[in-house]
Amino acid sequence: MSRDDARAIRDTELEKDRARYGLLAVVISNLAIAGVAVFGVWQLDGDKAVIVGVLTAAFTAVSSMTTAYLGIKAVSNTAKSIALGDGPARRHPETAPPPPPDRHAP
């Protein structure tokens, strides 16, 4: 195995670890937010207006955290594939389409 192959395997394993632990951090954070929201609702003893506010805030936090992680991961993957030359622009260079035929030519 050459150095390049060993490095590629090491880089792939590193990316897998980053993705795995990033996702784990997001899931644990979302569970913590949900747990605090459930505890807060339980302590409010039926005050509907405040319960709605707590649940709305919890939902916003969970969705923002998840969306941010997925967005950052997508941009990171796209940037990496462009940097390595795996992007569609490198694989299929676009050529200019032929000009339309001239309808008014004699």
Side-chain angles (χ1 to χ4, degrees), residues 42-91:
W42 175 62
Q43 290 293 320
L44 291 173
D45 293 326
D47 187 2
K48 303 287 187 209
V50 179
I51 289 174
V52 169
V54 168
L55 293 178
T56 301
F59 177 77
T60 302
V62 167
S63 62
S64 297
M65 176 90 61
T66 304
T67 303
Y69 171 74
L70 294 175
I72 290 168
K73 189 68 182 152
V75 168
S76 173
N77 290 344
T78 302
K80 183 178 179 183
S81 65
I82 289 172
L84 294 176
D86 295 338
R90 299 269 179 147
R91 274 189 257 147

Side-chain angles (χ1 to χ4, degrees), residues 1-17 80:
M1 185 182 320
S2 70
R3 283 183 157 166
D4 291 337
D5 291 341
R7 182 177 175 162
I9 291 171
R10 192 171 60 242
D11 288 347
T12 301
E13 290 300 317
L14 179 62
E15 285 300 317
K16 285 181 182 179
D17 288 343
K80 183 178 179 183

